[in-house]
Amino acid sequence: MPLTARQRSIHNKNGAKRSASMTKGKRSRKSSEGEYLVTNAPTDLRSISYPGGMVALGLLLTARLISAYWGHIADCDETYNYWEPLHYLVYGSGLQTWEYSPEYSIRSYMPLWMFAVPAKILSFIMTPVSVFYTLRALLASLTACSELMFYKAYACLEYLSLFVRSLLAFFHHQQLFASAWSSVLCWPFTALIGVPIAIDMLYFKNKFYEFFKWSLISLIVILVPTVIIDSWHYGRLVVAPWNIVAYNIFTEHGPDLYGVEPWTYYFVNGFLNFNVVWVLALSCPLLLLACRAVATRSIAPPAFCIPYWLSLMPLALWLGVFMLQPHKEERFLYPVYSMIILAGAISLDCIQKMTFAVGTELFRWRKERERCHYLSYTGHLAVMCVMLFSSISISRIAALYNNYHGPMVLLRHLPAEPKVVCFGKEWYRSPSSFHLPPGASIRFVASEFDGQLPAPFSHLHNATRIIHPHFNDLNKGDNSTYLPPSKCHYLIDSDIGRPTHLQPFYHTDTKSWNIIASVPILDASKSNKIFRAFYVPGISYKHVVYANLYLLKNVLIN
């Protein structure tokens, strides 16, 4: 899609202004080759195509809605720390983790209520699983709109460096409010992303008054309601953001109880999710320096200056801090996903400029460079990068869907009756109580896993204020919260691994259990690492092994 009329107007106006500024004065001077190229480049941008706003929104919204409907839950923390307490707020039942115990209170109910209100309204006209997917669609729409703002800020500007500068000239009070919002309501550690805003305001702009004023306003507007709501739920004064910081930093065990990973974990995980863009993002500082050295004569290089390093600082800080932490998880990279994309875009822009710089010296481009923009000659590099990124990403998406989507559909085979559904060794695959019929509940049976699992919220009216003795912050399991299999109406089982005393193959006990439904699930230990991560048609099936996830019905009880 060609440039819009407004974009062409902006480009032509900028080009005219530059041309006029060059002719001012008593005598004109001959511009350097690089300067002449830059000042005349906008007139050639009309031949460069990219999607307009509505097309971009349609593409983003389509991708997000597809993910909302067909995507699986990648992390059990999403189920147990968000969907389960949200189910409790809406329906009065659900699973409670130790983080929501009043003794520890490191999770806030405030962000849950932002979705509990619309979910409660929807619950009068929809089934729980429909409410689940509607909330997902709402999140998908909000995400697509924010990504559209990011895209339009980039696509409507002539140079990426201008885009980076526009981020720092953006209304600071909105930036501060957004940083406070994410830090207080989402995750306190996202304050790292706001460090460049503070540096820009305090060091470069000397806006001390505005910084402290809007920081205080944002803190009051967001933190005060959060403290009030959490204190009401927990029955005592609670500042949940501080509690989670104190637990993760100032306790001897902290989050290390929940598994540690080597320092290379995020390098591998980043490539799985962003493939070539991840490589470009990590290479961004070096490419900026190389671009400045190589492209000086033929095109204005992106200087390794304040706007660039300030914009890249959040990603560098985030990776530096979280790579040093022993406990690593994929979701810990979520807050800087947009920064990864930005760094990758800057790197691609540098490669295009360096390619053009070399081309003007070796090929006939030099004769036309005064009339042409560097993107006219290097646009194919962007197309190749997008095609490569898209191909690998689609391969990754297909692998995730084929390998792990089963649990999202298995519970659809449950009858519409209030029964107890149990999970054993597959406890981490639960998609949440939203996928159960009204009145049904999730419980756990003993397995080889000896860590702490959630327990049902109390049925009393003050359930969020009750301190249960079985909760602890040491990840020690408590069998008192488990049910014996004989008391489960339904049970989720699999044939992954070998049967043990605590983890028998329940589906083989035909005297006690009937198989209601089964879905394929990847047996990771028996599958090739490459082909379980990426799907290659006609080849992957030879290198991966699938097991079965079963929905069993207890034939001994009604």
Side-chain angles (χ1 to χ4, degrees):
M1 183 176 183
L3 296 178
T4 64
R6 178 176 178 273
Q7 292 165 353
R8 287 196 298 268
S9 174
I10 293 174
H11 292 317
N12 291 334
K13 182 188 296 184
N14 290 342
K17 286 183 177 179
R18 291 190 181 96
S19 298
S21 64
M22 289 177 63
T23 58
K24 272 187 176 182
K26 296 182 179 179
R27 59 176 182 176
S28 60
R29 61 181 180 88
K30 185 177 180 180
S31 302
S32 65
E33 291 178 316
E35 183 182 4
Y36 188 72
L37 172 66
V38 173
T39 56
N40 286 273
T43 60
D44 190 57
L45 285 177
R46 287 178 241 182
S47 62
I48 301 172
S49 300
Y50 52 83
M54 293 305 297
V55 175
L57 178 60
L59 293 173
L60 291 169
L61 195 57
T62 300
R64 287 299 178 182
L65 289 176
I66 289 175
S67 176
Y69 184 76
W70 278 289
H72 69 287
I73 294 180
D75 194 303
C76 61
D77 261 2
E78 180 183 341
T79 293
Y80 296 124
N81 278 323
Y82 297 99
W83 287 113
E84 286 296 337
L86 179 62
H87 189 275
Y88 170 77
L89 295 180
V90 177
Y91 296 100
S93 65
L95 296 175
Q96 181 183 19
T97 62
W98 71 270
E99 291 100 323
Y100 284 94
S101 171
E103 184 177 0
Y104 307 105
S105 56
I106 69 172
R107 299 286 183 183
S108 174
Y109 283 93
M110 180 66 175
L112 295 178
W113 274 111
M114 296 169 59
F115 298 97
V117 172
K120 189 68 176 179
I121 297 173
L122 293 172
S123 67
F124 293 108
I125 57 175
M126 292 182 176
T127 62
V129 70
S130 297
V131 172
F132 173 87
Y133 283 107
T134 302
L135 290 179
R136 269 193 157 194
L138 174 61
L139 283 168
S141 301
L142 294 174
T143 302
C145 290
S146 64
E147 289 172 334
L148 176 66
M149 295 173 63
F150 181 89
Y151 169 79
K152 290 185 70 174
Y154 167 74
C156 293
L157 289 173
E158 179 182 345
Y159 297 108
L160 190 57
S161 59
L162 294 179
F163 165 61
V164 176
R165 286 181 174 85
S166 71
L167 291 178
L168 299 173
F170 191 68
F171 295 112
H172 283 116
H173 63 275
Q174 295 184 14
Q175 292 179 321
L176 289 173
F177 189 83
S179 297
W181 182 277
S182 63
S183 301
V184 174
L185 292 184
C186 301
W187 204 22
F189 302 105
T190 58
L192 276 174
I193 301 176
V195 169
I197 303 171
I199 294 176
D200 185 54
M201 291 188 69
L202 297 176
Y203 185 77
F204 295 108
K205 302 291 195 308
N206 291 321
K207 295 184 177 181
F208 290 90
Y209 174 75
E210 289 84 353
F211 176 81
F212 290 107
K213 171 188 172 182
W214 286 105
S215 296
L216 182 61
I217 291 175
S218 301
L219 196 64
I220 293 174
V221 170
I222 300 172
L223 184 60
V224 170
T226 301
V227 171
I228 293 174
I229 289 177
D230 288 337
S231 299
W232 183 85
H233 273 289
Y234 288 117
R236 63 184 182 87
L237 180 63
V238 167
V239 184
W242 165 250
N243 290 345
I244 192 172
V245 171
Y247 172 76
N248 283 276
I249 296 179
F250 300 112
T251 59
E252 294 182 357
H253 46 276
D256 298 348
L257 297 171
Y258 301 91
V260 298
E261 300 290 344
W263 67 274
T264 57
Y265 176 83
Y266 288 127
F267 288 105
V268 176
N269 188 264
F271 182 80
L272 288 177
N273 290 306
F274 287 96
N275 52 78
V276 295
V277 173
W278 175 248
V279 176
L280 289 172
L282 294 181
S283 307
C284 190
L286 293 178
L287 286 173
L288 278 170
L289 291 173
C291 188
R292 180 163 181 78
V294 173
T296 302
R297 287 190 58 192
S298 301
I299 192 170
F304 200 76
C305 55
I306 292 172
Y308 273 107
W309 69 259
L310 273 181
S311 298
L312 296 174
M313 183 185 292
L315 179 59
L317 286 175
W318 197 268
L319 293 178
V321 170
F322 283 90
M323 281 184 176
L324 293 176
Q325 305 303 312
H327 178 58
K328 300 178 179 67
E329 296 185 35
E330 177 181 348
R331 61 192 175 97
F332 291 172
L333 284 185
Y334 290 175
V336 291
Y337 269 11
S338 60
M339 297 294 102
I340 294 173
I341 295 171
L342 174 61
I346 294 174
S347 293
L348 179 58
D349 187 67
C350 288
I351 292 174
Q352 289 179 275
K353 288 179 177 177
M354 287 190 291
T355 302
F356 185 76
V358 173
T360 55
E361 299 297 331
L362 299 180
F363 306 109
R364 296 181 61 184
W365 301 358
R366 187 170 187 175
K367 297 181 179 180
E368 299 183 3
R369 67 184 179 190
E370 287 81 3
R371 298 186 294 105
C372 297
H373 194 273
Y374 72 96
L375 293 179
S376 298
Y377 285 94
T378 61
H380 64 281
L381 293 178
V383 173
M384 292 171 56
C385 182
V386 170
M387 292 180 64
L388 179 60
F389 170 76
S390 300
S391 300
I392 300 176
S393 297
I394 291 174
S395 173
R396 173 65 174 165
I397 292 170
L400 291 175
Y401 182 85
N402 291 334
N403 297 343
Y404 303 108
H405 190 259
M408 301 297 291
V409 298
L410 183 62
L411 297 183
R412 296 178 185 177
H413 298 277
L414 285 169
E417 53 186 8
K419 299 293 184 178
V420 176
V421 181
C422 294
F423 284 80
K425 62 182 179 181
E426 304 296 340
W427 60 270
Y428 55 91
R429 301 192 193 274
S430 169
S432 82
S433 296
F434 279 94
H435 293 254
L436 302 181
S441 60
I442 292 177
R443 297 296 298 272
F444 299 102
V445 299
S447 67
E448 297 293 343
F449 177 73
D450 60 356
Q452 184 173 208
L453 289 176
F457 276 98
S458 171
H459 292 292
L460 299 177
H461 72 280
N462 62 338
T464 59
R465 301 184 180 186
I466 297 176
I467 298 178
H468 295 287
H470 48 260
F471 282 138
N472 61 83
D473 63 347
L474 299 174
N475 195 26
K476 292 182 179 179
D478 190 329
N479 291 336
S480 65
T481 64
Y482 298 160
L483 282 184
S486 59
K487 292 187 177 181
C488 300
H489 296 92
Y490 295 90
L491 177 67
I492 307 300
D493 189 30
S494 76
D495 51 13
I496 296 177
R498 296 181 178 179
T500 65
H501 175 69
L502 289 177
Q503 295 180 173
F505 281 174
Y506 293 101
H507 61 277
T508 61
D509 182 8
T510 56
K511 294 181 179 180
S512 302
W513 304 95
N514 281 342
I515 299 177
I516 302 300
S518 66
V519 292
I521 194 79
L522 183 77
D523 191 337
S525 62
K526 299 179 180 179
S527 301
N528 181 276
K529 292 183 179 181
I530 301 297
F531 290 100
R532 79 185 188 199
F534 300 98
Y535 172 74
V536 181
I539 300 178
S540 289
Y541 76 95
K542 300 178 182 179
H543 302 278
V544 296
V545 176
Y546 287 95
N548 292 295
L549 196 65
Y550 299 98
L551 173 60
L552 307 178
K553 177 180 173 61
N554 192 335
V555 299
L556 302 179
I557 60 175
N558 294 325

